[in-house]
Amino acid sequence: MDIIHEMITEKQITDKISEMAAQINKDYEGKEIHLICVLKGGVFFCCELAKRITVPVTIDFMAVSSYGSGTGSSGRLTVKKDLDELIEGRHCIIVEDIIDTGLTLSLAKKMLLARNPASLNICTLLDKPARRVTKIEALYTGFTIPDKFVAGYGLDYAQKYRNLPYIGEVEFIED
Ligand code: IMP
Ligand code: MG
């Protein structure tokens, strides 16, 4: 068993999501939003965010991962599950759990932009800017965190802890 040290409480998270949704509602007034949830980590955040959005919303899901070169945005994107729907002409927001090196999102964004959405912004619950290797910024960021490995609220360590209602730093315990 690992030890999880609570870093961001459930109330802090839901308060922040309400703030982010209020900003999105303002920014997208009169438009329809197409949320692109990045599986699996973005799922908990995406649901709570979508519940608080008051302009018309549709939701689609994709699962992607990247294999980096270590420097720059020259890594490769693996699409494990692509979107079900076309995004051409739609106002899209990518909903992600965390931006770390930024490689996954910069590659995913490039792929999606080639499909000609009306607009494409990024909304992330967490940002870990210390480890960034590409220039990518989210328009909406919940919490900026230090360079620690965290789990909970959708984020996993070896597929565990996604169900924790809070976000905590993982202290790895050797067997
Ligand atoms: P990036 O391409 O380095 O930005 O990778 C981001 C992905 O790595 C996220 O979508 C997460 O799935 C995973 N990741 C990065 N940092 C953490 C962490 O602290 N805990 C859990 N997953 C993480
Ligand atoms: Mg992820």
Side-chain angles (χ1 to χ4, degrees):
M1 276 307 283
D2 312 289
I3 301 172
I4 314 287
H5 301 278
E6 190 174 52
M7 183 190 268
I8 309 172
T9 67
E10 182 173 20
K11 175 154 190 337
Q12 286 175 310
I13 297 168
T14 42
D15 285 353
K16 182 64 78 176
I17 295 174
S18 296
E19 268 175 44
M20 296 170 89
Q23 187 62 50
I24 289 171
N25 290 332
K26 213 188 277 178
D27 295 348
Y28 286 79
E29 202 187 327
K31 294 180 179 145
E32 292 184 15
I33 300 175
H34 189 54
L35 295 177
I36 297 176
C37 175
V38 182
L39 297 171
K40 304 172 186 168
V43 145
F44 289 65
F45 174 42
C46 188
C47 292
E48 292 305 313
L49 185 73
K51 282 157 63 178
R52 292 165 174 82
I53 292 179
T54 50
V55 301
V57 165
T58 50
I59 308 176
D60 204 347
F61 300 87
M62 69 178 190
V64 290
S65 55
S66 64
Y67 296 95
S69 61
T71 55
S73 54
S74 51
R76 284 181 66 94
L77 188 75
T78 302
V79 180
K80 284 179 281 186
K81 185 220 170 293
D82 206 338
L83 297 172
D84 289 337
E85 294 173 47
L86 300 176
I87 60 169
E88 185 169 352
R90 304 172 86 166
H91 293 288
C92 301
I93 302 179
I94 302 175
V95 182
E96 176 63 299
D97 52 357
I98 187 167
I99 306 179
D100 188 20
T101 65
L103 208 49
T104 311
L105 267 194
S106 69
L107 294 168
K109 192 178 174 187
K110 206 164 140 194
M111 176 186 81
L112 295 175
L113 280 175
R115 301 179 186 182
N116 297 315
S119 63
L120 181 66
N121 285 311
I122 295 172
C123 180
T124 186
L125 181 59
L126 302 176
D127 187 7
K128 220 194 268 183
R131 281 171 36 90
R132 200 74 97 253
V133 300
T134 65
K135 215 172 109 249
I136 187 142
E137 290 301 328
L139 183 57
Y140 308 102
T141 299
F143 302 91
T144 300
I145 61 165
D147 187 9
K148 308 276 188 202
F149 194 88
V150 293
Y153 219 88
L155 293 115
D156 73 303
Y157 167 56
Q159 299 301 327
K160 293 179 290 185
Y161 312 124
R162 292 191 195 277
N163 61 313
L164 296 177
Y166 55 87
I167 290 165
E169 182 185 347
V170 182
E171 184 183 338
F172 303 98
I173 306 291
E174 309 279 330
D175 291 327

